[in-house]
DNA sequence: ATAGCGGCCTACCAATTGGTAAGGAGCCAA
DNA sequence: TTGGCTCCTTACCAATTGGTAGGCCGCTAT
């Protein structure tokens, strides 16, 4: 059991860092001081290992990201967004892998079982729907707003390493400091401005 | 000459769709009814081919995305963002590849020549800096805002295929219809709210 | 003692990878 | 005609890929 968790952790790291094709079973196994056959023994195939990693991520996301008993307030959505932002930074590897999955998905898109994000998105949309400022808005508008805010978070979370090299560590730290406040303004961005 | 362009186009398509490791020289060549040695003849190695694709993208981005003679107006930034959004949708493959590059970059991050986005980012930041509403904001705040808005655009552009499968084509069309208007509100999201 | 079993190994395999070497077809200039 | 050049080919290669087959070791139940 212990081993299985270690395997999932190592696989997450390498898949997140190098992508599905970029990471080989052998590399993952070596990271654990095992042979790739140990991995195959536990998960069958590379695809299934990858799937198990995705399942683990989505479980974490569901149990941690959205509290179902969200307090109903005018800023409920903005509050949830703040929490999601913090969580995204903490689980950067999850974020990286989900981003990669988003890119790769379009090929095997027809396959089922890949909508790990759907309940999450729906939950956020629900939160926004209950906001008095948003009750007159149509569905498309609500989902669009949710997605734009999520995009702002995830894109940044995935970019910090590049930004640090493009500018400097201090520059990125300055951005990180401003981020929550500006994110809040995005989340609140007016319905009737 | 003609062939070189066709090669770059095919490489872009496959790299964007499957990533650097996911696309093989052979696949790219077959797409052109050539052998992979033709590709190697023109570009030397796979890495160099990939590099040439990135260079082509960044050139397109620089010449098209930001007009240097942007009219100075209160909504100059929001206008630029609107144009960038349209361009992003039109060149979705470019967007996909740049997103992948963003993810992969963190490994070979120290390498030079990969800051294709920097002049683009700086240009946008400049635009925002000249906005009267933003003149008192510090650098971190400005860059953060620019990046959040860019994130909203790119994340969505890269997600539409997945979203179509997750919900429906109509759902995504509804989002696409709302997008520009909501994006504008994001871009304008208040400085002193 | 021993049979079974989960956990992991070595040995091996076909397929695919990026890349080298060498040569041929077509064209143009001398 | 000859030589050279560009563009592309076939033939080949070592390395790596994911995966199969089968066996060894240590634990537990009988």
């Amino acid at each position: 059991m212990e081993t299985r968790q270690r395997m999932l952790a190592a696989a997450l790291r390498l898949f997140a860092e190098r992508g599905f094709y970029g990471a080989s079973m052998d590399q993952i196994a070596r990271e654990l001081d095992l042979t790739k056959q140990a991995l195959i023994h536990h998960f069958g195939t590379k695809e299934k290992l990858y799937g198990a990693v995705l399942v683990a991520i989505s479980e974490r996301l569901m149990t941690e990201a959205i509290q179902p008993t969200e307090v109903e307030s005018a800023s409920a959505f903005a509050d949830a967004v703040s929490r999601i932002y913090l969580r995204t930074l903490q689980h950067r590897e999850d974020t990286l892998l989900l981003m990669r999955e988003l890119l790769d998905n379009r090929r095997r898109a027809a396959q089922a079982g890949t909508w790990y994000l759907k309940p999450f998105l729906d939950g956020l949309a629900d939160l926004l729907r209950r906001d008095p400022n948003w009750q007159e808005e149509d569905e498309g508008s609500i989902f669009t707003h949710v997605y734009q805010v999520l995009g702002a978070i995830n894109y940044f979370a995935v970019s910090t390493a590049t930004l640090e090299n493009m500018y400097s560590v201090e520059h990125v730290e300055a951005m990180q400091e401003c981020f929550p406040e500006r994110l809040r303004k995005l989340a609140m961005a007016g319905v009737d401005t």
Side-chain angles (χ1 to χ4, degrees), chain A:
Chain A
M1 293 303 148
E2 170 64 25
T3 312
R4 228 188 123 90
Q5 296 311 313
R6 283 179 56 231
M7 285 175 169
L8 284 174
L12 167 59
R13 269 211 35 224
L14 282 174
F15 280 142
E17 199 177 300
R18 305 156 122 93
F20 181 79
Y21 294 108
S24 75
M25 296 292 268
D26 211 58
Q27 286 168 357
I28 300 173
R30 245 178 297 160
E31 187 112 338
L32 300 159
D33 277 314
L34 292 175
T35 60
K36 62 177 175 177
Q37 280 69 18
L39 284 171
I40 291 181
H41 173 75
H42 278 279
F43 296 96
T45 70
K46 188 185 185 185
E47 294 273 1
K48 286 179 186 168
L49 170 58
Y50 182 74
V53 170
L54 276 185
V55 167
I57 291 180
S58 75
E59 280 170 1
R60 247 170 292 166
L61 197 62
M62 286 315 296
T63 58
E64 296 176 21
I66 293 199
Q67 271 91 349
T69 57
E70 193 79 43
V71 179
E72 207 153 322
S73 77
S75 62
F77 177 72
D79 294 343
V81 165
S82 293
R83 281 206 328 277
I84 288 167
Y85 169 66
L86 291 178
R87 208 207 87 96
T88 301
L89 285 190
Q90 277 161 17
H91 296 70
R92 212 175 292 233
E93 281 171 354
D94 290 16
T95 311
L96 277 166
L97 197 71
L98 283 178
M99 189 72 96
R100 293 205 121 103
E101 178 57 15
L102 199 60
L103 295 171
D104 293 336
N105 224 348
R106 45 176 54 227
R107 265 203 298 161
R108 35 184 154 119
Q111 289 184 7
T114 45
W115 319 136
Y116 309 104
L117 282 176
K118 188 168 188 308
F120 177 63
L121 274 179
D122 289 339
L124 270 178
D126 238 48
L127 223 50
L128 193 55
R129 234 189 309 265
R130 281 204 294 270
D131 187 314
N133 289 323
W134 281 85
Q135 291 195 348
E136 285 154 33
E137 294 288 319
D138 56 71
E139 282 302 282
S141 196
I142 285 175
F143 266 91
T144 303
H145 186 58
V146 168
Y147 217 76
Q148 287 182 349
V149 172
L150 275 184
I153 294 176
N154 287 315
Y155 193 69
F156 179 68
V158 139
S159 302
T160 47
T162 297
L163 285 174
E164 280 179 4
N165 283 283
M166 210 154 97
Y167 295 97
S168 71
V169 178
E170 295 76 32
H171 187 104
V172 175
E173 276 168 4
M175 286 179 73
Q176 242 150 4
E177 202 165 323
C178 300
F179 206 92
E181 188 192 330
R182 288 236 52 89
L183 182 62
R184 194 169 187 85
K185 286 175 180 166
L186 274 208
M188 304 277 235
V191 197
D192 41 22
T193 310

